[in-house]
Amino acid sequence: MNFDKELDAKGLNCPLPILRCKKSLADMTTGQVLKIVATDPGAIKDFEAFAKQTGNELLSSAQAGAEFTFFMKKK
């Protein structure tokens, strides 16, 4: 998937991946896509909830071993 910016949130635990995501999205324009890589097992539920609360679109989430990859489109 194409993306405009990447956020490395590996090794960070809740709520830091969400806070860093929020900060990164603030610097982006509408329609741009942020790729987030995290290792926190709670990140899946956290990013789903974050998308619902903020209106940003969670395009996809995937797990490869202990890493989770998310693509979020800025509203």
Side-chain angles (χ1 to χ4, degrees), residues 43-63:
I44 294 173
K45 287 185 178 180
D46 291 345
F47 279 102
E48 288 172 353
F50 177 75
K52 284 181 184 172
Q53 290 173 356
T54 62
N56 295 300
E57 185 181 354
L58 184 59
L59 300 173
S60 74
S61 61
Q63 181 177 357

Side-chain angles (χ1 to χ4, degrees), residues 14-28:
C14 183
L16 289 175
I18 293 294
L19 294 174
R20 299 259 172 100
C21 174
K22 185 176 179 180
K23 187 171 191 260
S24 293
L25 286 170
D27 295 335
M28 297 171 70

